Amino acid sequence: MEIKGKTVLAAGMARSGVSAAKLLYRHGARVIVYDKKSYNEVSSLVEELKTTVHCEFCLGQEPDTLLKKLDLIVMSPGIPTDVPFLVKAEAMGIKVISEVELAYQYCKAPILAVTGTNGKTTTTTLLGEIVKASGRTTHTAGNIGVPFTAGVEDMDPSHMAVVEISSFQLQTVDEFRPWISLILNLTPDHLDRHKTMGNYLAAKARIFENQGEGDFIILNGEDSLLKELKPDNGSKVFFFSRLRALKEGAWVENGNIIINTGKGALSICPVEQVSIPGAHNLENALASALAAALTGVESSVIARVLKEFPGVEHRIEKVDTIDGVSYYNDSKGTNPDSSIKAIETMKGSVVLIAGGFDKKAGFSDFVDAFGTKIKELVLLGETADIIAAAAKEKGFTNIHMTKTMEEAVEKACTLSCPGWNVLLSPACASWDMFQDFEERGRIFKEAVKALRG
């Protein structure tokens, strides 16, 4: 894609949008940066960008008047594809792509691309660590927090790019073609944007639409939607399963992780030696191990990293134990299914802190997962009343409403007994009260620290 001399709108001033603007400028584009927020709301980002990029800004207003002079729009994932100015742009024949697609155009390294509803960050990080441990220069990027465009120019064909990709980013890919694509699972999420599960699945499936002969697709063999996918593009499809043995792929047999990429079955390590807890993390480990094996990483290296990998920040992260109560940060639990998995890993009684931005997900199954573990429910955010109603409908009434994260942590502390756990797992996105789930998790951890005085 030649962008030199073209006028390009970098839409959205989150991390990926700022990074895209810098890449566009370095390659000779005339850059206009747009955000619906006003200058006062994004002033620090504007001033930072001005130090490296000579560009025009369109802030606090829709960029409709700019459309006639644009050659290309690069979208941040936070912007829905059906906003009016994008609909107009496409009607005018202006190409609209994601930041991931832009990065792909400049990426010389083979790409391992990870998507799915839950487990993306853990799997991307784990896979990156395994490949890195094999001695190959590895770049871990994407929706994980480091924009793909930020380091893509440093990659060469001997390197490896391990990239986390969201459904929003996949909606506007064009030529994006990973060497290995992984779809971990698919449960209801982001239906405020995708509207239906069919649309959501279609967005996720775009990860492999340009793959072909010599490429690999990895799917969850126990996911009701994914196991029915039949990619017909010449790629080799492998499945992983923690519940049954397979002829090829990755599975659990007699308590051991087994992998067969077509060259015979290899025993990697006992399941009990995988360091990250929970059935969902076993699936993440299976997917990561299989992808790594397909790149040629030796089984001994895979086993060593599976045993040593500590997990990722904000995902069932133990923060502290105070007066016999353990505090866990699962701010990455941004949908009900993810939070259900976090609840399942807890041992003993739990005070659960939940609530946040409403993505139009139902909370019935979430409340069902409380079982006898969840003793008290502390709620905050936009969905507090919705979750409370779902809980009461199921007969759960130990509910406490709070306004801030600090208040929620203090309330959870007073409700807890020695030997209990306090778990922040919101089952919702963070955008109603926080910039992102990382900020939410940091504030939780600071509030826990404050309990020590």
Side-chain angles (χ1 to χ4, degrees):
M1 180 187 297
E2 179 56 54
I3 61 171
K4 186 174 182 179
K6 293 185 177 179
T7 301
V8 185
L9 183 73
M13 287 202 69
R15 292 182 190 128
S16 63
V18 170
S19 179
K22 292 178 179 178
L23 179 64
L24 290 164
Y25 180 70
R26 287 195 296 270
H27 287 268
R30 292 187 292 270
V31 181
I32 304 172
V33 178
Y34 157 74
D35 199 285
K36 66 179 181 180
K37 294 179 181 176
S38 67
Y39 171 81
N40 288 337
E41 293 175 287
V42 293
S43 59
S44 60
L45 290 172
V46 170
E47 296 308 317
E48 175 207 333
L49 203 51
K50 283 181 177 179
T51 64
T52 55
V53 177
H54 179 68
C55 59
E56 181 182 337
F57 289 92
C58 176
L59 303 174
Q61 58 182 308
E62 293 302 308
D64 299 58
T65 57
L66 301 173
L67 294 180
K68 59 183 179 295
K69 65 179 181 179
L70 296 180
D71 299 301
L72 176 69
I73 297 175
V74 179
M75 281 178 56
S76 290
I79 301 176
T81 56
D82 59 356
V83 296
F85 85 87
L86 287 176
V87 173
K88 290 178 186 177
E90 292 189 311
M92 294 168 63
I94 301 169
K95 195 174 188 64
V96 178
I97 64 171
S98 65
E99 179 259 349
V100 162
E101 177 66 31
L102 176 66
Y104 172 74
Q105 298 295 326
Y106 294 93
C107 186
K108 297 176 182 177
I111 298 170
L112 315 183
V114 180
T115 196
T117 303
N118 298 308
K120 295 187 295 297
T121 299
T122 297
T123 302
T124 302
T125 307
L126 175 56
L127 177 55
E129 290 300 310
I130 296 173
V131 176
K132 187 187 301 181
S134 73
R136 193 164 188 171
T137 300
T138 307
H139 305 263
T140 305
N143 202 49
I144 197 168
V146 179
F148 192 10
T149 48
V152 72
E153 293 156 299
D154 298 325
M155 303 179 194
D156 68 42
S158 69
H159 295 181
M160 194 76 76
V162 185
V163 186
E164 177 185 329
I165 304 183
S166 73
S167 58
F168 299 157
Q169 292 168 318
L170 287 167
Q171 281 183 296
T172 45
V173 294
D174 184 19
E175 299 175 0
F176 177 71
R177 179 180 177 176
W179 176 32
I180 302 175
S181 64
L182 298 84
I183 309 183
L184 303 174
N185 45 60
L186 203 73
T187 58
D189 195 20
H190 300 301
L191 297 186
D192 57 320
R193 285 270 296 263
H194 293 297
K195 311 304 181 189
T196 70
M197 285 297 290
N199 292 341
Y200 186 34
L201 174 61
K204 291 292 191 186
R206 296 202 68 190
I207 197 169
F208 59 69
E209 72 176 16
N210 294 316
Q211 288 185 274
E213 189 174 345
D215 297 330
F216 302 103
I217 299 169
I218 296 175
L219 302 172
N220 188 334
E222 301 306 326
D223 186 286
S224 59
L225 291 171
L226 298 181
K227 68 183 180 182
E228 298 302 322
L229 284 178
K230 303 247 185 306
D232 185 21
N233 55 15
S235 301
K236 172 69 174 177
V237 179
F238 287 98
F239 290 95
F240 63 90
S241 172
R242 64 179 175 85
L243 300 178
R244 60 191 169 94
L246 306 172
K247 290 183 179 179
E248 290 185 331
W251 67 93
V252 175
E253 188 172 335
N254 297 323
N256 294 300
I257 290 177
I258 309 295
I259 289 177
N260 186 352
T261 61
K263 301 175 183 177
L266 293 172
S267 180
I268 303 300
C269 68
V271 167
E272 64 183 17
Q273 293 183 1
V274 176
S275 60
I276 46 179
H280 64 293
N281 275 327
L282 176 55
E283 293 184 346
N284 297 336
L286 288 166
S288 300
L290 177 55
L294 287 169
T295 72
V297 179
E298 294 182 358
S299 57
S300 60
V301 174
I302 297 172
R304 174 165 57 84
V305 178
L306 289 181
K307 295 172 187 176
E308 297 174 354
F309 182 66
V312 298
E313 187 181 15
H314 308 300
R315 188 62 177 133
I316 320 178
E317 172 196 9
K318 187 169 183 179
V319 177
D320 202 350
T321 299
I322 302 172
D323 296 330
V325 178
S326 296
Y327 292 80
Y328 290 88
N329 167 30
D330 190 52
S331 184
K332 193 74 169 65
T334 58
N335 60 68
D337 189 63
S338 180
S339 291
I340 288 170
K341 290 176 170 60
I343 292 168
E344 290 172 349
T345 67
M346 292 289 105
K347 300 189 185 307
S349 300
V350 178
V351 178
L352 176 64
I353 301 175
F357 178 81
D358 187 5
K359 293 194 285 185
K360 307 304 180 186
F363 295 101
S364 179
D365 291 346
F366 175 57
V367 176
D368 284 341
F370 289 4
T372 59
K373 283 185 183 179
I374 306 302
K375 304 300 185 185
E376 307 283 346
L377 178 61
V378 179
L379 296 172
L380 73 163
E382 187 176 284
T383 57
D385 289 335
I386 300 171
I387 297 174
K392 290 174 183 175
E393 190 173 315
K394 299 279 185 175
F396 188 96
T397 57
N398 294 348
I399 302 168
H400 312 269
M401 298 296 198
T402 58
K403 297 294 186 183
T404 67
M405 182 63 73
E406 292 83 358
E407 183 187 351
V409 170
E410 289 171 4
K411 186 64 177 178
C413 175
T414 64
L415 294 168
S416 302
C417 300
W420 285 25
N421 306 291
V422 171
L423 171 66
L424 167 68
S425 193
C428 304
S430 56
W431 307 314
D432 58 333
M433 296 174 65
F434 308 96
Q435 181 177 339
D436 47 37
F437 73 84
E438 292 100 334
E439 182 187 44
R440 178 169 63 187
R442 286 194 299 271
I443 291 174
F444 171 78
K445 291 196 286 186
E446 289 167 3
V448 171
K449 183 179 179 181
L451 295 175
R452 287 192 172 274

